[in-house]
Every structure is written in structure tokens, then in C-alpha cells.
């Protein structure tokens, strides 16, 4: 699998800006991709989908190292509603909230495949567990020494109630809804929903006139359509409050 620098960077907060820790995490993402190639599990899946899985896994890893709040918010919402941190998997004695967990990786792999391909494996498929175990070994190797990813810590430590941070709040909102690892499935569904309107704008306006209209459409979708991860469905404002509180 080829994981390009752009495949990694496009999912980063603040893209296209580059920060000092990006190289470190890109290298780990490449190691995760190579571990998948070596283990030979589910290698018949489309390359673009496999890249999407690696993007989700490395984004989760950065989030957990930084305690940026995305994963913390998802598992907290899920625990409030269902009494456990994850869909499909019962909470085990060795599950540690907001830390690197094997079951987190199992869920992320399954969930990404579920919204990306027809006939995705069951969340309890042994191949999902095997792949998660391979990824866990790569991520856990230097977990305690991993540097906090600067883009994650900067973007998610803003005060969303401070008028002086209005632009930063919008940037976080846009990234979280359309670009973050946690919302990839949500973004695909939202883009599909908005596609007829977007195509109508593009076909009836010049590029310069269409650009602001498309931005407005993005903002409308974000404000109207709840942000969804599996069974957790919350208004975007609720996610942002949970992440930054």
C-alpha cells in the first residue's frame, strides 16, 4: 500500500500548514500501512479504502496521544447512551478510557470498512482482530514517548465561547466535520446528500461565483445535519462543546 504524504497531511488540523511533529506521525502511519501489507489480512480490499483505514487509525493515535478530545467525546457519548465505550464490544477489564486500546482499533477498522465497502466483515470477524493486533503492536511500540501532535493540541484547546477565537472555532468546526478521522463516514454521507445542490451551483455559476456559494452550502450542511459516528448522533455544537470542555 502506498500512503502518500498528502494522504496523511490532508487529515491534519490546520492543513496545509505543516508542524514539527507531522513527520513523526507520518512515519508511524507508513509503518502501519506496511504492517498491513506484511500480515496479508484483508489485502484484497480496494487501495483507497485501505488508505482510509490507516488515516483513521493514525488520526485516532494522534488524538489519544494529545488527548485532543475527539475520541474521548465519542466514547463518553456512547457510554452515556449505552453504558459502555464502544459499539459491538463489551467492555473488558483491561480497557482504559482515553488511552490506546485494542478494541478501539477493532472498532475503527470495522467501522471504516462498513461505510466504505459492500459486504464488510462482521465487527467480530477474526480478521478484524488480527489486523487490529498488528496495528496495536506498531502504535504501542513507543506510545509512552510519542510527542504530542502539535496541530491536534493547538486546534482543540481553543475557547469556543471567546469572540476573539471565532475564526479558530470555525476552523476547528470545519475540520472536525469534513476532515477529521472520526467523521470520515459522516462526511461521505453529508457530501452525498449535498451533491445535487453542489452540482447545480457548479453548473449554473462561474468558478469565482460558485466558490462562496459552495462554502455557504458546507456551512448549511454542518448546521443542519447532526454529526454521526455509529449509533452516536449529536448536533455539531454538542460535539464541539464536549471536545473543548
Amino acid at each position: 500500500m502506498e500512503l502518500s504524504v498528502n494522504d496523511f497531511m490532508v487529515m491534519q488540523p490546520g492543513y496545509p500548514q505543516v508542524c514539527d511533529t507531522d513527520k513523526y506521525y507520518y512515519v508511524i502511519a507508513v509503518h502501519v500501512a506496511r504492517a498491513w501489507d506484511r500480515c496479508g489480512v484483508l489485502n484484497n480490499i480496494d487501495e483507497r479504502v485501505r488508505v482510509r483505514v490507516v488515516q483513521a487509525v493514525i488520526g485516532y493515535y494522534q488524538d489519544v496521544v494529545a488527548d485532543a478530545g475527539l475520541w474521548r467525546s465519542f466514547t463518553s457519548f456512547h457510554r452515556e447512551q449505552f453504558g459502555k465505550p464502544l459499539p459491538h464490544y463489551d467492555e473488558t477489564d483491561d480497557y482504559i478510557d482515553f488511552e490506546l486500546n485494542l478494541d478501539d482499533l477493532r472498532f475503527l477498522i470495522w467501522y471504516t470498512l462498513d461505510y466504505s465497502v459492500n459486504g464488510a466483515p462482521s465487527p467480530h470477524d477474526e480478521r478484524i482482530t488480527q489486523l487490529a493486533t498488528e496495528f496495536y503492536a506498531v502504535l504501542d511500540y513507543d506510545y509512552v514517548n510519542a510527542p504530542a501532535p502539535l496541530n491536534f493540541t493547538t486546534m482543540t484547546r481553543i475557547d469556543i465561547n471567546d469572540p476573539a477565537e471565532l475564526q479558530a472555532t470555525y476552523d476547528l468546526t470545519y475540520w472536525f466535520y469534513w476532515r477529521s478521522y472520526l467523521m470520515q463516514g459522516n462526511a461521505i454521507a453529508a457530501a452525498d446528500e449535498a451533491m445535487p445542490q453542489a452540482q447545480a451551483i457548479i453548473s449554473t455559476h462561474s468558478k469565482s461565483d460558485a466558490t462562496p456559494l459552495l462554502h455557504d452550502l458546507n456551512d448549511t450542511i454542518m448546521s443542519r445535519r447532526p454529526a454521526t459516528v455509529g449509533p452516536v448522533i449529536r448536533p455539531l455544537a454538542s460535539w464541539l462543546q464536549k471536545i473543548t470542555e
Side-chain angles (χ1 to χ4, degrees):
M1 179 197 319
E2 292 296 327
L3 185 79
S4 70
V5 172
N6 189 66
D7 289 330
F8 171 81
M9 286 302 306
V10 74
M11 305 296 290
Q12 299 302 301
Y15 173 82
Q17 295 178 354
V18 178
C19 71
D20 291 341
T21 53
D22 284 339
K23 182 178 179 180
Y24 177 90
Y25 285 98
Y26 172 63
V27 170
I28 293 179
V30 170
H31 284 308
V32 169
R34 290 175 178 171
W36 193 345
D37 287 340
R38 287 195 304 271
C39 75
V41 175
L42 297 172
N43 281 4
N44 61 327
I45 293 171
D46 181 83
E47 178 94 350
R48 188 61 245 172
V49 175
R50 294 178 68 200
V51 167
R52 191 178 292 165
V53 171
V54 175
Q55 288 171 325
V57 166
I58 197 63
Y60 156 81
Y61 186 62
Q62 290 174 282
D63 181 7
V64 170
V65 170
D67 193 16
L70 283 71
W71 191 253
R72 177 185 288 266
S73 299
F74 167 62
T75 55
S76 295
F77 278 141
H78 195 276
R79 189 185 290 282
E80 290 169 10
Q81 188 171 353
F82 300 103
K84 59 181 184 177
L86 297 171
H88 303 298
Y89 306 116
D90 292 331
E91 187 173 3
T92 61
D93 291 340
D94 58 356
Y95 188 91
I96 304 174
D97 281 328
F98 323 133
E99 295 287 350
L100 177 65
N101 288 287
L102 179 64
D103 279 350
D104 293 344
L105 297 174
R106 292 171 71 198
F107 171 74
L108 277 170
I109 294 166
W110 169 80
Y111 182 60
T112 307
L113 294 179
D114 188 59
Y115 65 70
S116 299
V117 299
N118 294 322
S122 157
H124 300 284
D125 192 301
E126 182 57 36
R127 294 171 297 175
I128 298 290
T129 301
Q130 185 177 345
L131 195 56
T133 302
E134 294 286 342
F135 292 171
Y136 184 90
V138 174
L139 300 178
D140 188 52
Y141 178 75
D142 203 33
Y143 175 57
V144 296
N145 298 313
L150 298 178
N151 275 335
F152 275 75
T153 56
T154 300
M155 283 286 285
T156 58
R157 294 299 188 264
I158 65 172
D159 181 356
I160 62 174
N161 299 309
D162 184 353
E165 298 197 63
L166 183 61
Q167 184 61 52
T169 298
Y170 178 81
D171 292 343
L172 171 61
T173 302
Y174 187 91
W175 169 75
F176 174 73
Y177 195 91
W178 293 109
R179 295 283 188 179
S180 73
Y181 80 92
L182 189 61
M183 288 290 156
Q184 285 192 94
N186 179 81
I188 290 170
D192 287 344
E193 181 180 308
M195 188 58 66
Q197 292 172 270
Q199 289 176 335
I201 291 171
I202 292 170
S203 64
T204 56
H205 294 80
S206 66
K207 183 177 180 180
S208 60
D209 289 339
T211 298
L213 294 174
L214 292 172
H215 282 300
D216 289 344
L217 176 59
N218 282 345
D219 292 348
T220 299
I221 292 293
M222 286 193 296
S223 63
R224 185 184 69 200
R225 190 179 190 279
T228 302
V229 183
V232 175
I233 304 171
R234 293 288 191 283
L236 183 53
S238 295
W239 285 99
L240 293 177
Q241 188 67 47
K242 196 82 162 176
I243 289 168
T244 58
E245 68 184 9

